[in-house]
Amino acid sequence: MSNDERGHIDSAGRIVQAQAPASGVSVPRHLGVGSDLVHSLDYVVMLQVMFNLASKVECTPIAVWRQLQERGIRSAKNANELVGKNAVYESFARLLAAGYLRRTRLPHPEKPGRLGPVVYEAFDNPAWNPDWTPEDHGEAKPQVGTRPGTPDMVSREEGKTAGQNTSRNPGRGNATSGVPGRSIRDVSAGQNTSGVPGRGIAPPPHPPEEEETPPPPTPSSSSGSLPSQREEKPEFSTAEIAAATDFLQRMRRWQAGAATARKAAPRLLRAMRSQGWPSLTTMDRDQHQALEDDILKNTAGATSWAKCLPGWVDDLRLYRKPTVAADSAADAQASLRAACGACDQNGWVQDDDDDGPMRRCAHPGVTVESSGGKR
């Protein structure tokens, strides 16, 4: 930059925040000297999260654990070892329960209706967490805003008089949050609005026998995400899976084994759903036969039907309701197979060559009339 450019001031030039590590963060009173976090690691984790967010750097549970290890934070159980990932994840679970973090699920960016990525919102005061209420945790958080006619003992901002908000955001008296338009939670009648000396007496803690604090969830995965707090709905019901498995094992021309049927059942249900086939739990005999005929329509030259089954299932055609002519033809073929002595009930030639390929029977000497079928 030349000297002329340094000396010229553009009156319309915007001033933006430079990208740099945060030199410090403000720690609210209830977080620094409160009683809702009793594990020392929780303070270290929360401070790391606050510095990451202020510095605009990556902030995930796995990233926080790696940062703590780089800082040399020691394990509470063994001072000779660095803090473990499970311990950090347990701390995140406690911060969720205390209201400092809120777990939300975003919509899937590419698949509508599917669950998207998990996001954790951080709050330096649980009172701003819409999913947290003091009644659920047996405690009341002090409000941060000033009370009319009372000097503000929490805020250090200068030039503020009693009765004014300590935040620049309209409609809010919180100095620790930058979200405009949110008001402080209502306080029930008979409760104090603050636990700060000089503003009233804080409510006494509950006796130990009245507290029922559930144990924090234990992470079961090492992939870097916190344990899921919501079970996803299975793709298919147990009845649908059972019907598909049973169908594959009871086809007329060929019966899949138990393991092959269990593995191919979800694949078959997906193909049927995409191609408009009715549910297997409501199909009649003719629809079952039509489905089998469509799956086994291109078996010529196949040496291992079990290996070819996934490809045959994926090639399922669009559903068409079986016609009366097709039913009559199927009945005629069944009559021919019943009257023929050279094949089995499925139409395969019966011979003594176990190593040779299976051959379809031409029903020699048997006609439709002699078998009792209708032409």
Side-chain angles (χ1 to χ4, degrees), residues 47 72 87 91 94 111 119 139 146 162 187 193 195 247 255-256 288 300 329 357 361 364:
L47 286 175
S91 177
R94 290 190 295 268
K111 300 178 180 179
V119 174
E139 58 180 324
T146 58
V187 180
T193 59
F247 167 78
Q255 297 81 41
H288 276 93
C361 183

Coordinates of all heavy atoms in Angstrom, one line a residue, residues 47 72 87 91 94 111 119 139 146 162 187 193 195 247 255-256 288 300 329 357 361 364:
L47 N -15.0 -23.4 28.9 CA -14.2 -22.3 28.5 C -13.5 -22.5 27.1 O -13.4 -21.5 26.3 CB -13.1 -22.1 29.5 CG -13.5 -21.5 30.9 CD1 -12.4 -21.4 31.9 CD2 -14.1 -20.1 30.7
G72 N -2.3 -30.1 27.2 CA -1.7 -30.9 28.3 C -2.6 -31.1 29.5 O -2.2 -31.4 30.6
A87 N -14.0 -39.1 28.8 CA -14.2 -38.1 29.9 C -14.7 -36.8 29.3 O -15.6 -36.1 29.9 CB -12.9 -37.9 30.6
S91 N -18.4 -34.9 29.9 CA -18.5 -33.5 30.3 C -19.5 -32.8 29.4 O -20.3 -32.0 29.8 CB -17.2 -32.8 30.2 OG -17.3 -31.5 30.5
R94 N -22.9 -33.6 30.5 CA -23.4 -32.8 31.7 C -23.7 -31.4 31.3 O -24.6 -30.8 31.9 CB -22.2 -32.9 32.8 CG -22.1 -34.3 33.4 CD -21.2 -34.2 34.6 NE -19.8 -33.9 34.2 CZ -18.8 -34.8 33.9 NH1 -19.1 -36.1 34.0 NH2 -17.6 -34.4 33.7
K111 N -31.6 -34.7 1.0 CA -32.7 -35.7 1.1 C -33.9 -35.2 2.0 O -33.8 -35.3 3.2 CB -32.2 -37.1 1.6 CG -31.1 -37.6 0.7 CD -30.6 -39.0 1.3 CE -29.6 -39.6 0.4 NZ -29.0 -40.9 1.0
V119 N -26.3 -30.3 15.5 CA -25.7 -29.0 15.9 C -25.9 -28.8 17.4 O -27.0 -29.0 17.9 CB -26.3 -27.8 15.1 CG1 -25.7 -26.5 15.6 CG2 -26.0 -28.0 13.6
E139 N -33.8 -25.8 40.5 CA -33.0 -24.6 40.9 C -33.6 -23.4 40.1 O -34.3 -23.6 39.1 CB -31.5 -24.8 40.6 CG -31.2 -25.1 39.1 CD -29.8 -25.3 38.9 OE1 -29.0 -24.6 39.5 OE2 -29.4 -26.2 38.0
T146 N -31.2 -5.7 35.3 CA -31.3 -4.8 36.5 C -32.7 -4.7 37.0 O -33.7 -4.9 36.2 CB -30.7 -3.4 36.2 OG1 -31.5 -2.9 35.1 CG2 -29.3 -3.5 35.8
A162 N -29.7 3.0 37.1 CA -30.6 2.0 37.6 C -31.9 2.1 36.8 O -32.4 3.1 36.5 CB -30.9 2.2 39.1
V187 N -40.4 -15.1 36.1 CA -40.1 -15.7 37.4 C -41.4 -15.9 38.1 O -42.3 -15.0 38.2 CB -39.2 -14.8 38.3 CG1 -38.9 -15.4 39.6 CG2 -37.9 -14.5 37.5
T193 N -35.6 -12.9 42.1 CA -35.1 -12.8 40.8 C -33.6 -12.9 40.7 O -33.1 -13.0 39.6 CB -35.5 -11.4 40.2 OG1 -35.0 -10.4 41.0 CG2 -37.1 -11.3 40.2
G195 N -29.8 -14.4 42.9 CA -29.1 -14.9 44.0 C -27.9 -14.1 44.4 O -27.1 -14.5 45.2
F247 N -41.3 -65.0 2.1 CA -41.6 -65.1 0.6 C -40.4 -65.7 -0.1 O -40.6 -66.6 -1.0 CB -42.0 -63.8 0.1 CG -42.0 -63.7 -1.5 CD1 -43.1 -64.2 -2.2 CD2 -40.9 -63.1 -2.1 CE1 -43.0 -64.2 -3.6 CE2 -40.9 -63.1 -3.5 CZ -42.0 -63.6 -4.2
Q255 N -36.0 -71.7 -3.8 CA -36.2 -71.2 -2.5 C -34.9 -70.8 -1.9 O -33.9 -71.6 -1.9 CB -36.8 -72.3 -1.6 CG -38.2 -72.8 -2.0 CD -38.1 -73.8 -3.1 OE1 -37.3 -74.7 -3.1 NE2 -39.0 -73.7 -4.1
A256 N -34.8 -69.5 -1.5 CA -33.6 -69.0 -0.9 C -33.4 -69.6 0.5 O -34.3 -70.0 1.2 CB -33.7 -67.5 -0.8
H288 N -48.3 -63.0 -5.3 CA -47.1 -63.6 -4.9 C -46.4 -64.3 -6.1 O -45.2 -64.2 -6.3 CB -47.3 -64.6 -3.8 CG -47.4 -64.1 -2.5 ND1 -48.6 -63.7 -1.9 CD2 -46.4 -63.8 -1.6 CE1 -48.3 -63.2 -0.7 NE2 -47.0 -63.3 -0.5
A300 N -31.6 -67.5 -17.0 CA -30.9 -68.4 -18.0 C -29.4 -68.1 -17.8 O -28.9 -67.0 -17.8 CB -31.3 -68.0 -19.4
A329 N -53.4 -69.2 -17.8 CA -52.2 -69.8 -18.3 C -51.4 -70.4 -17.1 O -50.9 -71.5 -17.3 CB -51.3 -68.8 -19.0
P357 N -26.9 -79.3 -15.2 CA -27.8 -78.2 -14.9 C -29.2 -78.6 -14.9 O -29.6 -79.6 -15.5 CB -27.5 -77.2 -16.1 CG -27.0 -78.1 -17.2 CD -26.2 -79.2 -16.5
C361 N -39.0 -79.0 -18.2 CA -39.7 -80.1 -18.8 C -40.6 -79.6 -19.9 O -41.3 -78.6 -19.8 CB -40.4 -80.9 -17.8 SG -41.2 -82.4 -18.5
P364 N -43.6 -84.3 -22.3 CA -43.9 -85.1 -23.5 C -45.1 -86.0 -23.3 O -45.3 -86.6 -22.3 CB -42.6 -85.9 -23.6 CG -42.0 -86.0 -22.2 CD -42.4 -84.6 -21.6

